[in-house]
Amino acid sequence: MSDLLDVGWLPDAIVRAFFESIRTLLVGAMNAMFNFGLKPLITINPGILTDAEFVAAWDDIFALSIALLPILIAAGLIVMPFSEDREASLWQMVARIVAVIVFIAISKPLFAFMIEASNGVTTALAPATFKMAFDADLGGSWGATLGTGIQLIALIVAVPLMLIATILATLLLALRQFLVVTVALGAPFFAVLWYANWGPMKSVSRFAATWLRMGIYGLLVGPIIALVMRVFDVIATGGMAASGGDAIASFYIASALALMFPIILFVVIWKTIGWAGQPLG
């Protein structure tokens, strides 16, 4: 069988080196987009909680929330007779007031701890450096040529997809950071709105609880994405390599997954951040 890369008038070694260099360039492009385009955004900078602007804004929201708390307590007392399920009681009101005050007091260090914990788990799960390096050799001269050719075609398709996925995923990861910082900053305000969960005020309480959950979900997005990245790193760096007759099957699986990597990564980021930001629609 003739060499798939035989162009007739050029020496085979030069042709092979040319196509191998293109393959190496495309692989390097995918690695760079992963390492420098996506990976830095899966963690959240904890320093933002100590930034002077954030602290000043949090203090303003804290003062507003403390001023609103007596108003919400009074409103809760007013709407208590309209509660249909008798879910409101004096003890429940006192317990929720205490919970609100305690949460407001610890919200800033609590979110700082949760961000640090999320970053720590994310860093531990994510690969240190993504480097696609699975073998393109199917055995023999023709097998090596075929392997390089198949992967070259897959990479020519995958690299533009990876570029699009990187751009879109970057926007989504930036949205995730926005959601987390918004909830961390507005935690005192959401806590006050959460207080009265009876009568006509129940919808307001659920709205506040949804936003608080959204911040927690946003923090969980990082570890989930890091885990998916680690799985692809294992596959792309030869984690599915096999010997003997299974080597060909492993090669094709790895090549197909390299092609699907940008699509799956984008879908995972989109779905997890969409899950966290569901209240925004």
Side-chain angles (χ1 to χ4, degrees):
M1 185 176 292
S2 60
D3 195 326
L4 295 179
L5 299 181
D6 186 6
V7 296
W9 56 278
L10 284 175
D12 289 348
I14 296 178
V15 176
R16 290 177 189 277
F18 173 74
F19 281 99
E20 182 61 30
S21 64
I22 294 179
R23 174 181 175 273
T24 302
L25 181 64
L26 293 175
V27 169
M30 289 195 69
N31 294 339
M33 282 185 278
F34 176 89
N35 290 316
F36 303 106
L38 293 178
K39 189 180 175 185
L41 291 177
I42 62 176
T43 56
I44 299 175
N45 179 17
I48 190 172
L49 299 186
T50 57
D51 180 76
E53 293 295 332
F54 180 93
V55 172
W58 192 92
D59 290 342
D60 291 341
I61 294 173
F62 171 79
L64 174 64
S65 301
I66 295 299
L68 285 176
L69 183 56
I71 298 175
L72 266 294
I73 293 174
L77 291 171
I78 293 172
V79 303
M80 185 181 294
F82 301 97
S83 177
E84 297 178 357
D85 302 328
R86 296 184 179 274
E87 68 272 26
S89 67
L90 181 60
W91 286 111
Q92 183 188 17
M93 293 179 62
V94 173
R96 292 180 76 87
I97 291 172
V98 173
V100 168
I101 295 174
V102 171
F103 181 78
I104 291 176
I106 68 171
S107 62
K108 191 190 296 185
L110 177 63
F111 270 94
F113 170 77
M114 291 191 297
I115 289 175
E116 290 283 5
S118 175
N119 288 346
V121 175
T122 300
T123 303
L125 288 175
T129 302
F130 184 84
K131 186 177 181 182
M132 186 181 294
F134 51 80
D135 193 4
D137 191 353
L138 293 178
S141 176
W142 185 85
T145 300
L146 177 63
T148 300
I150 291 175
Q151 287 193 3
L152 187 60
I153 294 173
L155 288 168
I156 289 175
V157 177
V159 168
L161 289 176
M162 185 65 180
L163 178 60
I164 296 173
T166 300
I167 294 173
L168 296 177
T170 298
L171 295 175
L172 290 173
L173 290 172
L175 174 62
R176 175 235 180 180
Q177 298 203 22
F178 169 78
L179 294 177
V180 172
V181 174
T182 298
V183 175
L185 182 62
F189 178 69
F190 294 130
V192 170
L193 294 182
W194 169 84
Y195 160 70
N197 71 331
W198 51 84
M201 300 293 292
K202 182 179 291 187
S203 59
V204 178
S205 178
R206 288 177 177 174
F207 172 79
T210 300
W211 271 88
L212 290 171
R213 285 198 305 271
M214 186 168 62
I216 305 300
Y217 292 164
L219 291 172
L220 293 175
V221 167
I224 294 173
I225 295 174
L227 179 60
V228 173
M229 290 179 172
R230 173 59 68 90
V231 171
F232 272 102
D233 181 66
V234 170
I235 294 171
T237 54
M240 295 186 65
S243 58
D246 293 334
I248 296 178
S250 297
F251 165 80
Y252 283 117
I253 291 173
S255 298
L257 288 172
L259 181 60
M260 293 188 298
F261 172 63
I263 300 174
I264 294 177
L265 183 63
F266 170 72
V267 170
V268 169
I269 294 174
W270 173 41
K271 284 295 185 180
T272 51
I273 295 178
W275 170 50
Q278 189 175 6
L280 298 180

